[in-house]
């Protein structure tokens, strides 16, 4: 193999590892939102908000490296698709990071009051998204389009849970309008999490593009 | 594969140099008013393939062509074809600029004169039109009488293109036209190709993959005399169907 080719492969490998690192930080923030909400833990919420800066910085580094690689190595075919896939993937990971931060900020609004109800569906949503993210990152590393496609199917569960959360919270608010201030942040959180699920599905689509060159819309 | 009508096409063409088979049953349609790039590693038969289209291989001893090549559905490997007339319709630009050792004007007027045009005013019109088409007019209009050899390499190559245009071809074959040029001159030629495709069909052989990707509409990948893949350039360079194409264009081998 030529030295130039080795450089390109080493660059891609390094970027993949950075994406994994970014992915695990995003998953950490996401998972911790549940712990922070359940424990009304303001310190933890603030930590999540701060952790987003770390995620953003990683995204910036990967993006710079990808752009430099495109400019200097002029990758073609699967190499090009992988680089485009990396750039798109970090955009979605970065958005999931932002959404976790937004969940934490909503959490801060209700941290001084008792929870309206025990959290069941929201933790379930986070658990599913986290599992999907794990699958998405695995599929990304292994270039496994089947796994990516299967992962995307789970997005329906998240949408179902969001509907359920909304129905339930609306019932609370209709029965007793005084619950509105405590219910609204939870309602907003369920919307944020649904969006996080959509971004995870996008990552699955990027993996499929990297492997096959096909653009599929699996956010149905 | 392409909905654009074929200007030229090859049908199961095999080419032999003595006992060596340089091309193996290549069937390919060249879309009209498009730029088709032919890529592949050294010795894959790219230039041999290009020379089929105006029967330049006839000039090499001991060549044998099987199959057929068509221009507007007329077979060109045919005893009745006038090869001089064919090469007028299918012009060629070579790797190294090869202007004749005469003035800029006479270089462009050479072809029309050979084809019987004597009228000075008419020749002047042709020279001006072709130099303009070749994007060279502004640079040479005040030195039409100077020797073509005094021009820069990039200007000489555009002069050669103007010389081809002067005999009103339908197809222009370019055999690595930029390999001896600097990046700026290369860009000029590529810009010019985009202009020319409005009126002509272009086929370019290039070693430079980025050039094929940038400057062509369709790309054919040849390997060891075989056509491996042909398709829209945008598709071939982003998602090639054949693993050998993938291997070549990503530099895994070749």
């Amino acid at each position: 193999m030529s030295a130039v080719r080795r450089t390109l492969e080493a660059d891609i490998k390094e970027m993949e590892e950075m994406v994994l690192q970014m992915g695990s930080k995003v998953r950490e923030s996401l998972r911790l939102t549940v712990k922070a909400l359940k424990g009304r833990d303001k310190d933890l919420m603030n930590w999540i908000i701060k952790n987003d800066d770390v995620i953003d910085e990683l995204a910036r580094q990967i993006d710079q490296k990808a752009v430099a690689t495109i400019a200097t190595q002029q990758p073609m075919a699967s190499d090009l698709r992988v680089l485009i896939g990396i750039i798109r993937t970090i955009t979605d990971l970065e958005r999931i990071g932002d959404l976790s931060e937004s969940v934490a900020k909503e959490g801060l609004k209700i941290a001084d009051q008792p929870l309206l109800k025990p959290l069941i569906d929201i933790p379930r949503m986070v658990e599913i998204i986290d599992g999907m993210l794990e699958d998405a990152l695995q599929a990304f590393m292994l270039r496994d389009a089947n796994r990516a496609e299967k992962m995307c199917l789970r997005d329906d569960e998240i949408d179902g849970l969001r509907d359920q959360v909304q129905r339930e919270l609306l019932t609370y608010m209709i029965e007793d309008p005084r619950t509105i201030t405590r219910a609204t942040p939870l309602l907003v959180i369920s919307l944020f999490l649904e969006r996080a699920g959509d971004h995870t599905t996008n990552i699955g689509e990027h993996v499929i593009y990297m492997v096959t060159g096909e653009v599929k819309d699996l956010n149905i | 594969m392409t909905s654009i009508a074929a200007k030229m096409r090859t049908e199961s063409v095999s080419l032999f140099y003595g006992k060596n088979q340089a091309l193996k049953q290549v069937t390919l349609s060249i879309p009209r008013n498009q730029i088709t790039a032919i890529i592949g590693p050294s010795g894959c038969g790219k230039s041999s393939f290009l020379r089929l289209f105006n029967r330049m291989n006839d000039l090499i001893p001991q060549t044998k062509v099987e199959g057929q090549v068509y221009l507007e559905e007329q077979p060109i490997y045919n005893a009745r074809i006038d090869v001089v007339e064919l090469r007028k319709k299918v012009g060629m630009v070579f790797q190294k600029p090869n202007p004749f050792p005469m003035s800029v004007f006479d270089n462009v007027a050479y072809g029309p004169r050979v084809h019987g045009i004597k009228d000075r005013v008419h020749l002047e019109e042709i020279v001006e039109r072709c130099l303009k088409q070749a994007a060279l007019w502004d640079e040479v209009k005040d030195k039409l009488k100077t020797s073509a050899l005094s021009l820069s390499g990039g200007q000489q190559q555009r002069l050669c293109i103007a010389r081809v245009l002067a005999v009103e071809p339908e197809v222009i074959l370019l055999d690595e036209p930029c390999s001896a040029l600097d990046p700026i001159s290369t860009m000029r030629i590529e810009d010019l190709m985009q202009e020319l495709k409005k009126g002509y069909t272009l086929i370019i052989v290039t070693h430079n993959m980025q050039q094929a990707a940038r400057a062509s509409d369709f790309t054919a990948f040849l390997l060891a005399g075989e056509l491996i893949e042909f398709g829209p350039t945008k598709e071939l360079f982003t998602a090639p169907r054949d693993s050998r194409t993938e291997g070549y264009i990503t530099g895994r081998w070749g």
Side-chain angles (χ1 to χ4, degrees):
Chain A
M1 203 193 312
S2 78
V4 173
R5 178 73 222 167
R6 270 201 300 275
T7 308
L8 177 60
E9 289 190 358
D11 282 354
I12 288 176
K13 187 116 210 73
E14 192 185 333
M15 277 180 274
E16 283 172 350
E17 273 155 22
M18 289 166 86
V19 170
L20 278 196
Q21 196 191 342
M22 184 181 168
S24 70
K25 290 207 180 298
V26 169
R27 288 179 62 198
E28 189 180 13
S29 270
L30 178 73
R31 278 198 307 266
L32 285 173
T33 56
V34 172
K35 195 175 174 198
L37 287 172
K38 276 186 173 165
R40 290 181 290 139
D41 184 338
K42 285 196 204 174
D43 288 344
L44 191 50
M45 287 168 189
N46 283 317
W47 185 89
I48 293 168
I49 292 166
K50 267 221 154 96
N51 195 39
D52 194 49
D53 295 340
V54 180
I55 293 168
D56 289 352
E57 173 58 22
L58 256 172
R60 201 186 57 79
Q61 286 173 12
I62 299 167
D63 187 79
Q64 264 186 354
K65 194 162 175 59
V67 170
T69 303
I70 290 172
T72 55
Q73 314 243 14
Q74 287 128 36
M76 296 278 195
S78 62
D79 296 330
L80 179 64
R81 297 202 306 273
V82 166
L83 278 161
I84 300 295
I86 286 172
I87 292 172
R88 289 180 182 161
T89 297
I90 58 172
T91 309
D92 282 302
L93 281 176
E94 196 260 327
R95 292 292 296 129
I96 298 169
D98 288 347
L99 288 163
S100 301
E101 183 189 3
S102 301
V103 169
K105 281 179 174 165
E106 289 300 309
L108 282 175
K109 292 182 189 166
I110 48 172
D112 290 328
Q113 309 163 57
L115 277 168
L116 182 61
K117 61 181 261 326
L119 295 178
I120 297 161
D121 292 330
I122 285 176
R124 180 80 192 116
M125 287 175 88
V126 169
E127 194 187 323
I128 295 171
I129 299 165
D130 187 50
M132 285 171 70
L133 264 175
E134 184 179 10
D135 271 356
L137 292 166
Q138 284 268 2
F140 170 85
M141 280 310 279
L142 301 171
R143 308 272 192 274
D144 186 341
N146 283 333
R147 187 168 186 161
E149 191 159 355
K150 243 187 232 158
M151 176 279 289
C152 292
L153 297 175
R154 302 185 65 193
D155 191 45
D156 290 347
E157 288 178 63
I158 297 170
D159 294 349
L161 284 166
R162 178 214 52 202
D163 289 344
Q164 197 165 307
V165 170
Q166 287 187 350
R167 272 196 306 272
E168 200 178 9
L169 291 169
L170 278 174
T171 315
Y172 272 97
M173 291 190 277
I174 291 165
E175 276 175 8
D176 180 1
R178 280 173 305 175
T179 60
I180 287 177
T181 49
R182 280 188 294 160
T184 314
L186 294 175
L187 196 69
V188 171
I189 286 170
S190 74
L191 290 174
F192 287 154
L193 292 176
E194 187 233 324
R195 293 287 299 283
D198 292 343
H199 285 293
T200 308
T201 312
N202 288 349
I203 296 174
E205 292 170 1
H206 306 330
V207 172
I208 293 169
Y209 173 76
M210 286 160 75
V211 178
T212 66
E214 276 172 58
V215 178
K216 276 198 177 176
D217 185 7
L218 297 169
N219 249 330
I220 328 160
Chain B
M1 182 162 302
T2 150
S3 55
I4 304 165
K7 176 74 188 176
M8 295 195 81
R9 66 186 177 90
T10 67
E11 197 177 270
S12 300
V13 168
S14 295
L15 176 74
F16 301 84
Y17 295 125
K19 282 180 185 150
N20 270 340
Q21 185 167 5
L23 293 170
K24 295 171 190 162
Q25 304 236 326
V26 179
T27 299
L28 178 67
S29 287
I30 304 293
R32 183 188 304 272
N33 289 106
Q34 301 286 308
I35 301 169
T36 300
I38 299 163
I39 61 167
S42 293
C44 72
K46 309 186 283 290
S47 293
S48 299
F49 185 63
L50 189 73
R51 286 196 298 263
L52 280 177
F53 291 98
N54 65 351
R55 292 187 51 172
M56 290 290 270
N57 288 322
D58 292 11
L59 306 175
I60 301 167
Q62 293 199 305
T63 53
K64 191 176 81 183
V65 175
E66 287 173 3
Q68 190 52 269
V69 179
Y70 299 88
L71 171 62
E72 300 281 7
E73 291 308 314
Q74 298 300 312
I76 66 168
Y77 285 87
N78 182 315
R80 278 169 304 174
I81 200 106
D82 176 352
V83 177
V84 174
E85 188 61 22
L86 171 70
R87 291 188 189 137
K88 181 169 171 276
K89 285 186 188 163
V90 184
M92 194 159 193
V93 176
F94 298 89
Q95 187 170 356
K96 257 186 82 188
N98 55 350
F100 302 136
M102 47 180 80
S103 73
V104 170
F105 184 96
D106 288 341
N107 261 276
V108 184
Y110 185 86
R113 276 179 180 141
V114 167
H115 287 98
I117 297 171
K118 298 273 187 289
D119 179 54
R120 181 81 199 169
V121 180
H122 191 185
L123 283 173
E124 276 170 5
E125 276 169 18
I126 293 173
V127 169
E128 181 171 342
R129 173 177 58 79
C130 294
L131 287 171
K132 277 180 176 164
Q133 270 187 301
L136 187 59
W137 176 251
D138 289 340
E139 291 160 58
V140 299
K141 64 182 177 208
D142 300 322
K143 40 183 175 181
L144 294 174
K145 297 269 177 276
T146 59
S147 166
L149 301 176
S150 68
L151 301 179
S152 74
Q155 288 173 330
Q156 287 185 9
Q157 196 61 306
R158 276 177 285 147
L159 180 66
C160 292
I161 292 173
R163 195 173 63 192
V164 167
L165 296 176
V167 294
E168 298 181 5
E170 298 169 25
V171 179
I172 302 171
L173 309 177
L174 303 125
D175 191 357
E176 297 188 45
C178 302
S179 62
L181 304 183
D182 66 61
I184 303 283
S185 307
T186 298
M187 203 173 65
R188 286 237 173 89
I189 301 277
E190 288 175 10
D191 283 349
L192 174 57
M193 286 164 56
Q194 297 303 323
E195 274 305 306
L196 291 176
K197 78 173 194 186
K198 292 171 190 161
Y200 309 88
T201 299
L202 285 81
I203 310 176
I204 177 171
V205 161
T206 176
H207 262 130
N208 180 334
M209 219 125 44
Q210 268 73 35
Q211 179 169 57
R214 267 195 313 264
S216 74
D217 303 301
F218 291 86
T219 300
F221 171 54
L222 287 181
L223 182 64
E226 262 182 90
L227 176 67
I228 303 297
E229 186 163 348
F230 174 71
T233 298
K234 287 192 180 99
E235 287 173 23
L236 192 128
F237 282 98
T238 53
R241 292 185 304 274
D242 195 289
S243 61
R244 290 165 291 180
T245 317
E246 169 87 31
Y248 180 66
I249 63 177
T250 57
R252 290 199 175 87
W253 55 267

